[in-house]
């Protein structure tokens, strides 16, 4: 889902890899919009316990493939969620502007196509985050390894993934409700217009009929 996780690589090496990956991407994100995060993992073979969790880092007895898998998964999820949180905030800002203009003028200043675009973007974002990123689900590695599961749960709490996703979902639902409200208004306006058109046509027909009757 677009995230790249590096372990123990210098900044120049990371930037080089990212630039190379961008050349082969279908829809690369502009460099200025890249979301980044860092996390420290210390390897201490002398520890008795397999893992120790601190406020700013995690200490492991050894860095095996299971640990790499769950750490990489959570880091990828938190960075990707950060990216989509920004996109959702942009959609909310769009509705905020529509609400402000409507409040000031008493009229709806938006087009149905714009609302349809926002609804489609809203639905595709929720579908992608829910099905591709699987933030609410445990990884296969965590299911198979109790120690890896401990690391994953700690990191999910550390990056506040669950609460962030719940807030993210609430924002998407708010956008959907706002879009439905405005689409209903547009539909009602269209229905009113059609009703008045029918009434005018009937009135014209009556007038024509009365004119024909009076001229005979």
């Amino acid at each position: 889902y677009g995230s790249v996780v590096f372990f123990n690589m210098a900044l120049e090496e990371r930037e080089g890899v990212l630039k190379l990956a961008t050349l082969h991407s279908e829809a690369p994100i502009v460099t200025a919009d890249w979301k980044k995060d860092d996390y420290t993992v210390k390897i201490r073979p002398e520890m008795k316990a397999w893992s120790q969790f601190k406020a700013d880092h995690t200490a492991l007895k050894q860095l095996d493939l299971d640990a790499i898998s769950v750490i990489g998964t959570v880091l990828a999820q938190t960075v990707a969620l950060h990216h989509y949180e920004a996109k959702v905030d942009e959609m909310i800002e769009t509705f905020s502007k529509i609400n402000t203009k409507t409040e000031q003028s008493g009229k709806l200043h938006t087009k149905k196509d714009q609302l349809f675009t926002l609804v489609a973007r809203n639905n595709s974002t929720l579908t992608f985050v829910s099905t591709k990123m699987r933030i609410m689900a445990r990884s296969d590695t965590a299911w198979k390894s109790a120690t890896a599961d401990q690391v994953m749960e700690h990191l999910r709490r550390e990056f506040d993934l669950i609460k962030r996703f719940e807030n993210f979902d609430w924002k998407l639902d708010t956008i959907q409700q706002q879009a439905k409200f405005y689409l209903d208004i547009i539909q009602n306006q269209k229905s009113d217009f059609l009703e008045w058109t029918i009434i005018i046509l009937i009135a014209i027909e009556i007038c024509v009929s009365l004119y024909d009757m009076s001229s005979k």
Side-chain angles (χ1 to χ4, degrees):
Y1 35 81
S3 296
V4 182
V5 180
F6 297 100
F7 281 82
N8 200 28
M9 288 184 67
L11 178 60
E12 292 183 358
E13 292 179 296
R14 284 180 280 173
E15 290 181 346
V17 172
L18 289 174
K19 288 180 180 178
L20 181 62
T22 300
L23 296 176
H24 301 281
S25 301
E26 293 183 1
I29 299 173
V30 180
T31 306
D33 294 334
W34 284 358
K35 309 299 180 185
K36 302 178 182 179
D37 212 334
D38 294 312
Y39 189 74
T40 301
V41 178
K42 298 181 179 181
I43 311 304
R44 293 177 175 171
E46 72 279 3
M47 290 195 322
K48 293 182 178 180
W50 193 83
S51 59
Q52 289 181 352
F53 306 117
K54 304 295 182 179
D56 58 346
H57 73 274
T58 292
L60 300 177
K61 189 176 183 66
Q62 64 179 23
L63 187 64
D64 57 16
L65 290 178
D66 288 344
I68 291 175
S69 175
V70 294
I71 293 171
T73 295
V74 175
L75 288 175
Q77 287 175 336
T78 189
V79 171
L81 184 58
H82 187 20
H83 168 72
Y84 285 103
E85 284 171 333
K87 293 173 71 70
V88 169
D89 287 341
E90 289 177 3
M91 287 189 278
I92 289 179
E93 181 62 24
T94 299
F95 272 108
S96 178
K97 292 178 180 178
I98 294 173
N99 290 335
T100 300
K101 290 181 179 180
T102 303
E103 181 182 3
Q104 292 174 348
S105 65
K107 297 180 181 180
L108 181 59
H109 294 274
T110 187
K111 296 180 180 180
K112 183 184 290 187
D113 290 346
Q114 183 185 17
L115 291 175
F116 281 151
T117 300
L118 287 170
V119 170
R121 190 181 304 166
N122 180 82
N123 292 340
S124 63
T125 299
L126 178 59
T127 300
F128 182 86
V129 173
S130 299
T131 59
K132 299 295 185 180
M133 292 172 56
R134 300 180 62 204
I135 288 178
M136 302 300 288
R138 293 166 66 189
S139 70
D140 294 337
T141 303
W143 278 108
K144 297 175 183 177
S145 170
T147 52
D149 183 55
Q150 289 178 355
V151 174
M152 187 169 194
E153 288 304 313
H154 168 73
L155 291 178
R156 281 155 68 98
R157 290 191 299 270
E158 180 73 19
F159 290 102
D160 212 14
L161 271 182
I162 302 302
K163 290 183 179 179
R164 285 169 58 198
F165 178 76
E166 291 174 348
N167 185 51
F168 175 82
D169 185 51
W170 176 81
K171 288 182 178 180
L172 288 176
D173 185 63
T174 300
I175 293 171
Q176 191 172 36
Q177 294 299 323
Q178 294 241 355
K180 183 178 182 301
F181 171 74
Y182 283 119
L183 286 171
D184 287 343
I185 291 177
I186 293 175
Q187 184 61 38
N188 290 335
Q189 290 176 342
K190 184 177 180 180
S191 298
D192 291 342
F193 174 77
L194 292 175
E195 289 177 1
W196 278 107
T197 301
I198 293 172
I199 291 172
I200 293 171
L201 290 174
I202 293 174
I204 292 173
E205 185 178 357
I206 293 173
C207 291
V208 171
S209 299
L210 291 174
Y211 176 78
D212 289 341
M213 291 174 62
S214 63
S215 62
K216 290 181 181 179

